[in-house]
């Protein structure tokens, strides 16, 4: 059976400015686009969040993220630099 559900954990906060986050976000979005072309189903908040003002706090999103992780076949973490982020909680889960 082909495993095709991927949960992508990627930091949204902790970048020095919006430009740094935008460049990082663009690279994650290119990866997501490639994986979708390969018939993977992807869940990642990075698609929805343009900047820090757009995302839910970890306490508001943790349960839905954990449920999505449980329903995924693959967990993929993008962690581009030393930063404290909820992706580490997702990784630990």
């Amino acid at each position: 059976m082909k495993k095709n559900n991927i949960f992508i954990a990627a930091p949204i906060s902790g970048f020095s400015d919006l430009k740094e986050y935008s460049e990082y976000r663009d690279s994650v979005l290119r990866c997501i686009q490639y994986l979708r072309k390969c018939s993977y189903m992807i869940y990642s908040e990075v698609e929805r969040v343009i900047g820090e003002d757009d995302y839910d706090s970890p306490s508001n999103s943790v349960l839905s993220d954990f449920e999505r992780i449980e329903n995924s076949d693959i967990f993929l973490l993008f962690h581009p630099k030393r930063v404290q982020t909820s992706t580490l909680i997702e990784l630990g889960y």
Side-chain angles (χ1 to χ4, degrees), residues 2-81:
K2 182 178 178 183
K3 297 179 184 279
N4 63 355
N5 295 313
I6 301 176
F7 181 95
I8 296 179
I12 294 169
S13 62
F15 293 91
S16 60
D17 56 31
L18 184 58
K19 181 181 184 297
E20 182 186 25
Y21 172 68
S22 294
E23 291 171 358
Y24 160 76
R25 180 178 181 266
D26 288 345
S27 66
V28 175
L29 291 174
R30 284 191 303 274
C31 180
I32 290 171
Q33 183 180 26
Y34 175 79
L35 290 169
R36 284 207 172 109
K37 285 182 184 177
C38 296
S39 299
Y40 288 98
M41 301 203 37
I42 307 296
Y43 174 79
S44 179
E45 282 289 301
V46 170
E47 291 182 291
R48 186 181 67 77
V49 177
I50 296 170
E52 284 189 31
D53 295 336
D54 296 331
Y55 75 98
D56 293 333
S57 69
S59 60
N60 288 339
S61 62
V62 68
L63 293 178
S64 63
D65 285 349
F66 287 172
E67 183 178 335
R68 289 181 177 114
I69 291 169
E70 287 182 26
N71 292 321
S72 294
D73 302 304
I74 299 167
F75 178 92
L76 183 59
L77 171 66
F78 289 96
H79 200 75
K81 66 179 195 168

